[in-house]
Amino acid sequence: MNNISWQDIRKGMMHSLATMYNSEYASELLSLEKAISSNDSIAINQSNIKIQAISKQFEFENWIENFITQKLEGVAIVTHSGKGIHSAIKDCNINYDLQVKPENYQFISSATPNILPFDCTNNAARVGSVYVFLNQIIKDNITLLQLIIDNNPEIPRALSDDKEIANQYLQCLKKAIFDDFQNPKASELNKQFYWPNSDYSYLSYSENNYRLLIPLYPNSLCYLVYEKIRSRYSEENKKARELRKTKDIEHQSYFSFKDLAILKLGGTKPLNVSKLVQAQFGNNYLLPSMPPKFERSRFPSISLNKKNVFDHSLQYFCRFGFRLLFDMVAAPKNVIEERDNRKDAFAVILTLLLKFARNIQTSMPAGWSRDYSLPMSQKLWLDPNRAELEDEENFKHQYEQGDWLGELELDFASWIQKALKKKFKNIETQFSDVEYREWCREFHAAVKASQRRKEGIF
């Protein structure tokens, strides 16, 4: 920004002010744009001459004084405001762009985006002019607003040749932009609720154990969301959608938004809320926030002739854990990452495996395993209530002895080893007895953890 002079800044101000106050100037600017688009050098020259002549009819000092004293008065530059809650609320705003941000975000909020577009609110008759003035690009895509926020030393001289008047104008601009929160205000139209300062606040009768929160409408974030959703109608996105069923071409990604709702703000005059809300035509898109639909997991079934539950169907049920395990084996070796990834993979596999076992134990009637072909160790595991039936003393004795747990460890390890050898045939010899014993230990640890939690699965 060091290469921006006060002349550059004043030129940008004059451009926006002339457009604001002189319809003939604005009309001639349109003519100039048309001439430039058609590459008509004669028309371009004529328009430039007319624009210079019109500019000379007005003194900059008069324009800027009129803007500061009339247009700027009562307007607030914000990222969040109360008017989105109710259009009659005033002076309840925040410009979060100017606040000190946390170094490490622990949550997502309406202030998470690094760059939030500013909005103008509080006075519908003036916000449009202020928005155009502050959003005027001075040089290299740098706006006048950014120069004021960064305390550019050229700003005062650009505002006026008189230093005292220039400082007064600058203070008026900063008053609209910055909010020092020295005198925060709330309206009876604001929504308010108390939030406890600690987990035990509700047990205390002390009033200072709660914080009064006032939700504000996230103008800037809602505008970003609006722009993103509207971009689904872009030519690029439309073309990608049209070509999605065409064969033998490279498909491009596209996006769509389903089940949207629209909240209208400001009625027939969205400018009463803010400039950005007017740019959205008062439409505030709401993304679907219905509760999730939970469906019962489809556990693998056990047929009469099944001879081992540790088969392909159970592997598919635990597929997310196996995917992690396969990725770990295929990835470049790193001792720490490999150990952590393996731990995560087995955690997922064993969690799903125990869910499967619990489902069989609770959904099948006691004694169901009598006519099935499963190994005795798996019958003892999956049909524990059979031990309570009459004429099942031998089954009960075997269950209480607990030798079947060791057989389950071997079954589990063989299952893992078979899956890995099938997936990685080129390195199947690497899955040796050392790995086999490690998988046994993983299962053994899961059994002990489940027993400590008294889950009743083993």
Side-chain angles (χ1 to χ4, degrees), residues 24-54:
E24 185 180 353
Y25 183 92
S27 177
E28 198 57 48
L29 282 178
L30 292 175
S31 299
L32 177 60
E33 291 178 2
K34 291 180 181 178
I36 293 174
S37 63
S38 60
N39 200 24
D40 188 340
S41 58
I42 297 176
I44 292 173
N45 187 49
Q46 290 176 346
S47 292
N48 280 324
I49 293 173
K50 289 181 180 179
I51 289 172
Q52 290 177 8
I54 295 171

Side-chain angles (χ1 to χ4, degrees), residues 96-146:
Y96 194 80
D97 276 341
L98 305 179
Q99 307 306 309
V100 177
K101 312 296 192 303
E103 291 185 2
N104 297 311
Y105 281 105
Q106 300 297 323
F107 51 85
I108 296 176
S109 74
S110 59
T112 296
N114 292 328
I115 300 177
L116 291 170
F118 77 90
D119 197 6
C120 291
T121 188
N122 273 8
N123 192 316
R126 301 170 181 172
V127 294
S129 301
V130 176
Y131 185 87
V132 171
F133 181 78
L134 293 176
N135 213 32
Q136 175 65 45
I137 294 177
I138 303 302
K139 194 175 182 181
D140 300 330
N141 289 325
I142 299 172
T143 63
L144 178 60
L145 175 67
Q146 191 60 50

Side-chain angles (χ1 to χ4, degrees), residues 66-316:
N66 187 291
F67 175 80
I68 296 294
T69 58
Q70 296 184 25
K71 299 291 185 180
L72 191 62
E73 183 66 27
V75 176
I77 312 302
V78 305
T79 57
H80 300 67
S81 77
K83 278 187 169 291
I85 309 298
H86 196 290
S87 58
I89 295 175
K90 287 187 177 182
D91 301 320
C92 190
N93 311 298
I94 290 178
N95 189 337
Y96 194 80
D97 276 341
L98 305 179
Q99 307 306 309
V100 177
K101 312 296 192 303
E103 291 185 2
N104 297 311
Y105 281 105
Q106 300 297 323
F107 51 85
I108 296 176
S109 74
S110 59
T112 296
N114 292 328
I115 300 177
L116 291 170
F118 77 90
D119 197 6
C120 291
T121 188
N122 273 8
N123 192 316
R126 301 170 181 172
V127 294
S129 301
V130 176
Y131 185 87
V132 171
F133 181 78
L134 293 176
N135 213 32
Q136 175 65 45
I137 294 177
I138 303 302
K139 194 175 182 181
D140 300 330
N141 289 325
I142 299 172
T143 63
L144 178 60
L145 175 67
Q146 191 60 50
L147 291 174
I148 296 173
I149 292 174
D150 294 338
N151 285 317
N152 188 285
E154 299 293 309
I155 288 287
R157 190 175 178 186
L159 288 169
S160 176
D161 296 332
D162 186 309
K163 291 184 178 180
E164 184 176 348
I165 294 176
N167 287 328
Q168 291 177 2
Y169 290 168
L170 184 57
Q171 292 307 312
C172 291
L173 287 168
K174 287 186 174 182
K175 182 180 178 182
I177 297 170
F178 294 88
D179 191 336
D180 59 9
F181 293 97
Q182 293 300 313
N183 299 299
K185 297 179 181 179
S187 166
E188 65 274 9
L189 299 173
N190 278 115
K191 298 182 186 297
Q192 304 177 28
F193 60 92
Y194 286 96
W195 189 265
N197 290 331
S198 69
D199 295 340
Y200 304 101
S201 294
Y202 66 93
L203 298 175
S204 172
Y205 294 98
S206 177
E207 294 183 359
N208 61 3
N209 274 337
Y210 292 85
R211 191 182 301 266
L212 181 62
L213 301 183
I214 301 177
L216 298 179
Y217 174 71
N219 306 45
S220 300
L221 178 65
C222 288
Y223 181 74
L224 290 177
V225 172
Y226 175 84
E227 288 288 284
K228 180 63 177 179
I229 293 176
R230 291 291 296 175
S231 64
R232 62 183 168 167
Y233 301 118
S234 67
E235 291 301 321
E236 181 181 358
N237 203 56
K238 286 182 180 179
K239 185 177 179 180
R241 287 175 61 89
E242 291 170 359
L243 296 176
R244 68 189 187 276
K245 294 182 180 180
T246 305
K247 297 181 180 180
D248 302 325
I249 65 168
E250 183 180 355
H251 291 175
Q252 301 295 326
S253 61
Y254 66 90
F255 57 88
S256 61
F257 297 88
K258 297 182 179 180
D259 302 322
L260 291 173
I262 295 179
L263 175 65
K264 295 288 288 187
L265 298 178
T268 58
K269 297 180 179 180
L271 191 60
N272 285 337
V273 178
S274 75
K275 177 62 180 176
L276 290 185
V277 171
Q278 183 199 37
Q280 299 167 209
F281 305 100
N283 296 326
N284 183 22
Y285 285 119
L286 303 178
L287 301 175
S289 57
M290 288 80 73
K293 295 180 180 179
F294 294 103
E295 297 181 0
R296 186 182 182 87
S297 299
R298 294 184 177 181
F299 294 95
S301 60
I302 301 178
S303 63
L304 286 170
N305 297 323
K306 185 184 284 269
K307 296 182 178 177
N308 192 346
V309 294
F310 294 99
D311 60 2
H312 181 72
S313 61
L314 186 58
Q315 180 183 333
Y316 180 78

